């Protein structure tokens, strides 16, 4: 697989950052499906997305949780290149989380895992089974932004 996954996301962005290990070729199909779903989220605002954490080697995964002083989840989707913690430039984590939830409810996005780590942290989305954790922002009454009108000719 080449370095480009989608129009705005590259394979390099999903590497295991601590050790700078790329996504193994056996997991390229997973990361491609994940990137396609992330493009749907990105398209809501049309703003740049930063992948904070994508694929993780087991050693990197264990080190992250050791530093946090918590046990590492054994079934993390990051280990299978099916998860990303990400941010959208100029969009709050609360808005992002609520948009992901709305896209899932509307059927536009795979109903996978969603993690909330607070209003000052990236959110987690994965293409695994439906589940969520971490407490949640108040998304009651949230409406997806209207698409921007096309530029005038």
């Amino acid at each position: 697989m080449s370095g480009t996954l989608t129009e705005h996301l590259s394979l390099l962005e999903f590497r295991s950052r601590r050790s700078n290990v790329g996504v193994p070729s056996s997991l390229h199909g997973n990361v491609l499906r994940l990137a396609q779903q992330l493009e749907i989220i990105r398209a809501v605002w049309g703003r740049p997305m930063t992948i904070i954490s994508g694929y993780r080697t087991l050693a990197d995964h264990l080190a992250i949780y050791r530093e946090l002083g918590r046990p590492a989840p054994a079934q993390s989707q990051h280990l299978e290149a099916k998860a990303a913690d990400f941010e959208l430039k100029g969009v709050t984590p609360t808005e992002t989380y609520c948009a992901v939830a709305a896209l899932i409810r509307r059927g536009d996005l795979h109903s996978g895992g969603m993690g909330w780590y607070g209003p000052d942290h990236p959110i987690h989305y994965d293409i695994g089974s439906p589940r969520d954790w971490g407490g949640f922002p108040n998304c009651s009454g949230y409406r997806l932004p209207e698409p921007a009108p096309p530029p005038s000719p």
Side-chain angles (χ1 to χ4, degrees):
M1 175 179 284
S2 72
T4 302
L5 293 169
T6 63
E7 183 180 354
H8 301 102
L9 296 168
S10 72
L11 191 57
L12 185 62
E13 293 174 88
F14 290 89
R15 74 192 180 284
S16 194
R17 298 205 184 245
R18 285 175 165 266
S19 57
N20 203 30
V21 171
V23 178
S25 59
S26 62
L27 301 178
H28 283 184
N30 292 347
V31 75
L32 175 59
R33 285 189 300 279
L34 174 62
Q36 290 166 338
Q37 294 297 294
L38 292 171
E39 282 286 352
I40 295 167
I41 298 166
R42 186 195 171 285
V44 170
W45 291 277
R47 301 224 180 127
M49 176 180 280
T50 302
I51 306 300
I52 307 299
S53 181
Y55 166 71
R56 293 180 191 156
T57 64
L58 180 58
D60 287 354
H61 183 68
L62 294 173
I64 289 167
Y65 281 90
R66 190 170 37 254
E67 287 177 8
L68 294 171
R70 300 191 328 235
Q75 301 299 317
S76 173
Q77 298 295 307
H78 287 281
L79 299 171
E80 298 296 323
K82 292 182 176 181
D85 300 333
F86 69 94
E87 298 173 328
L88 285 163
K89 184 174 182 153
V91 182
T92 70
T94 300
E95 286 179 282
T96 304
Y97 186 93
C98 292
V100 170
L103 289 165
I104 289 171
R105 278 193 310 277
R106 199 164 78 179
D108 293 344
L109 194 65
H110 172 81
S111 181
M114 291 177 57
W116 173 254
Y117 303 114
D120 299 322
H121 299 280
I123 71 156
H124 171 99
Y125 172 76
D126 69 57
I127 57 172
S129 59
R131 68 212 182 289
D132 49 42
W133 63 90
F136 314 100
N138 181 357
C139 295
S140 64
Y142 178 81
R143 298 175 76 110
L144 287 165
E146 293 295 322
S152 300

